[in-house]
Amino acid sequence: MTRRQMTIVEVGPRDGFQSIAEVIPTSVKLDLVEKLYRAGLRRMEATAFVSPTAVPQMADAGEVLRHAQALPGLDVQVLVPNLRNAAKALDAGADHLAFVISVSEKHNLNNVRRTPAESIDDYRAIADLLPAGGRMRLNLATAFDCPWDGKMDLKKTLALLEPLVDIMPDAEICLCDTTGRVTPDHVTALFRAARDAFPAANRWAYHGHDTYGLGVANVVAAWEAGIDVIDASFAGLGGCPFAPGATGNVATEDVVWTFEQMGIGTGVDLPVLLQAAVAGTRLPGALIGGRVRDVLAPAAEASA
């Protein structure tokens, strides 16, 4: 029997950087992408094609995309919030899009200035626009919890998924804990319900935050529910401007350490990853998190 191996999607260069107000020089971004690549990470959400006026941090999306795509074997996905920016990403050479839509109408209006119904229309149009060989990741924000409405009814999440799965059954569907308030039992329950409800959708992923210190526990819960693709951010970088109080994503180094201790391969060199994580903590204005880095990095530096 083949042992399962986790696929980590490193989202720090997008989700982690996007929440930092001070614009990071493009050269620094490219250096950090290369550091993460050298650690063995082979899938990365490298940037986002969004309004440069609304998110100046992502104004260099085209340059970051080109640089990341030049790294051999790196699967580069880019976030797009609507049809207009999806078209820009495809024109820039992107072949793996990550479209975001929120279960919560309030969050969707604040995050992408559309109702969920309008975002569904955009998703349908993007599916038609996607060239042969292009891939789609569907990020379902507030799948578990909303900053304004609290815990989301499981039936509401499944109801939103129904038309989206029909549009593109082969898309990877990522259920996102936007606020970091979810607990492991809720993670397991929603994934099991979603997979039972949509047997035609066979590619699933999980994205979580560590607001209440349950980031790794929730990742383990997703894994035990059969989810092999996990989002994480080096140094725990992240935070959502439309989820007040939510801290960064679960730290990549915490996920790698935990799963390697469990005997589950991640393909990531933890000591090399720690170098990138330490560099991430030095970004001005960065919101950082995680525990493993604080324990292991000083020891590694002392023995160097």
Side-chain angles (χ1 to χ4, degrees):
M1 183 176 177
T2 304
R3 283 184 69 86
R4 289 169 66 193
Q5 179 165 333
M6 171 182 288
T7 296
I8 294 177
V9 183
E10 174 54 64
V11 299
R14 196 283 300 175
D15 205 356
F17 292 173
Q18 185 170 296
S19 60
I20 298 174
E22 183 173 329
V23 174
I24 305 165
T26 303
S27 60
V28 173
K29 294 180 184 179
L30 302 185
D31 180 63
L32 287 168
V33 165
E34 289 186 7
K35 281 182 167 66
L36 294 164
Y37 177 80
R38 287 196 294 272
L41 289 155
R42 289 298 180 267
R43 185 166 169 193
M44 205 175 295
E45 191 165 279
T47 189
F49 281 78
V50 293
S51 165
T53 302
V55 190
Q57 190 67 264
M58 297 291 129
D60 57 1
E63 186 174 352
V64 173
L65 171 64
R66 288 189 295 274
H67 187 86
Q69 286 181 324
L71 297 171
L74 182 62
D75 180 359
V76 184
Q77 68 186 45
V78 298
L79 187 81
V80 295
N82 52 45
L83 175 61
R84 182 180 68 256
N85 285 295
K88 289 181 179 178
L90 292 172
D91 286 345
D95 58 10
H96 195 169
L97 304 183
F99 180 80
V100 59
I101 178 173
S102 303
V103 177
S104 160
E105 181 163 343
K106 289 178 183 177
H107 189 269
N108 211 62
L109 286 168
N110 278 275
N111 195 34
V112 298
R113 299 181 183 179
R114 279 166 167 69
T115 65
E118 290 170 332
S119 285
I120 290 172
D121 289 341
D122 265 8
Y123 185 64
R124 184 178 291 108
I126 293 169
D128 292 338
L129 193 65
L130 201 65
R135 290 162 294 158
M136 179 67 75
R137 142 78 77 107
L138 175 64
N139 282 331
L140 204 68
T142 64
F144 301 91
D145 187 85
C146 169
W148 294 279
D149 296 330
K151 187 174 181 178
M152 300 303 297
D153 188 308
L154 183 149
K155 292 179 182 178
K156 187 171 184 178
T157 298
L158 298 182
L160 181 64
L161 270 175
E162 188 168 353
L164 294 167
V165 172
D166 286 344
I167 291 168
M168 196 177 295
D170 60 345
E172 179 181 79
I173 302 170
C174 183
L175 302 183
C176 304
D177 171 29
T178 305
T179 64
R181 293 195 295 228
V182 74
T183 52
D185 60 323
H186 191 181
V187 171
T188 301
L190 182 55
F191 272 112
R192 287 179 176 167
R195 296 180 78 188
D196 287 345
F198 305 104
N202 57 13
R203 299 173 58 228
W204 297 87
Y206 172 69
H207 176 104
H209 289 244
D210 199 30
T211 310
Y212 287 84
L214 290 174
V216 171
N218 289 329
V219 167
V220 173
W223 172 264
E224 291 180 344
I227 307 308
D228 298 341
V229 180
I230 301 293
D231 286 4
S233 177
F234 72 109
L237 293 170
C240 176
F242 303 112
T247 56
N249 298 276
V250 59
T252 309
E253 56 269 26
D254 288 15
V255 173
V256 171
W257 184 88
T258 299
F259 278 80
E260 295 290 347
Q261 292 295 310
M262 293 167 61
I264 299 164
T266 63
V268 178
D269 185 325
L270 183 57
V272 179
L273 173 61
L274 287 172
Q275 295 173 18
V278 170
T281 67
R282 295 170 179 161
L283 293 171
L287 179 62
I288 62 173
R291 300 293 184 88
V292 166
R293 179 191 65 257
D294 290 339
V295 175
L296 298 184
E301 291 176 352
S303 62

